[in-house]
Amino acid sequence: MKRFIAALHTRYGKIRTFIYENKITGRYLSSIPLQIRIALSLNLLYAGFKMFTGIYYASYWFGAEAVFFLIIGTTRFLLLRNMKKIKGGLRQEYQVYRFCGFLLFALNASLTGIVYQMIHQGGGSEYPGLLIYIVATFTFIFLINAIVDIVKYRKLNSPVLSAVKIITFTQALVAIYSLQIALFTAFGEDEHLAFVMNSVFGGLLCISIFGMAVFMVVRAFEKIKKLK
């Protein structure tokens, strides 16, 4: 077992060295501004894709997703870009953190209504051809991005970076749920199973986002009160 662990550690070290020494991946990992620009570009591209499909297929769900990803992606971009401009220390950072919590409340209220309408009135237009694989690719990227943010900012005591982690994680959850709906629509033959799974995971999604929003707002109020 020890040899196996040692071998894994050695292999991980070689892979890590290769990634950081590669010209493209090394530059990306060492440049935070580049990471921010690429993340925003992906968000805008995905939001544009969702908006196009929403208009083309007359789908309120796709259109709402486009707005959701546009808002949440732009918020993440502005938080990271303007972090150094925050001059009020922890107090101002917690105020920004609290604002992000209220933003999640608003987004989740809209998302809950749309999920309910989609499940009970039908929704989830089918993507023709290779479009569903585009959705899967973006979902995979958003999930990796969320994991990277969680690992990258885990030791930094910054409310703003904590807000970034939660926002990125929320984005990944919505992308995964969207992919689930698309897969059931494209490949699911059991309508009852699709209804149950979309209802269960749609409910869990909305409850999770609501819980994160409550946590952020309550925590921010408590921290701000202590800093007075």
Side-chain angles (χ1 to χ4, degrees), residues 12-87:
Y12 170 76
K14 291 181 179 179
I15 294 174
R16 179 181 174 85
T17 301
F18 171 77
I19 291 174
Y20 276 91
E21 289 182 352
N22 183 273
K23 183 180 293 186
I24 298 175
T25 56
R27 183 188 175 193
Y28 172 78
L29 292 172
S30 62
S31 176
I32 294 179
L34 178 61
Q35 295 173 22
I36 295 173
R37 288 195 296 270
I38 291 177
L40 177 64
S41 299
L42 288 172
N43 269 102
L44 293 176
L45 185 62
Y46 190 65
F49 168 73
K50 283 292 183 178
M51 184 61 70
F52 170 78
T53 54
I55 295 173
Y56 188 82
Y57 296 110
S59 171
Y60 290 109
W61 168 248
F62 292 160
E65 275 191 283
V67 175
F68 179 90
F69 278 97
L70 180 61
I71 293 175
I72 209 164
T74 304
T75 301
R76 179 181 182 275
F77 168 75
L78 292 175
L79 285 174
L80 289 173
R81 185 181 181 185
N82 296 314
M83 185 177 173
K84 293 183 179 180
K85 297 179 182 179
I86 298 177
K87 304 297 183 181

Side-chain angles (χ1 to χ4, degrees), residues 134-152:
I134 295 176
V135 175
T137 301
F138 272 106
T139 301
F140 184 67
I141 291 172
F142 290 141
L143 181 59
I144 291 177
N145 198 23
I147 295 172
V148 168
D149 277 0
I150 290 172
V151 173
K152 184 167 56 177

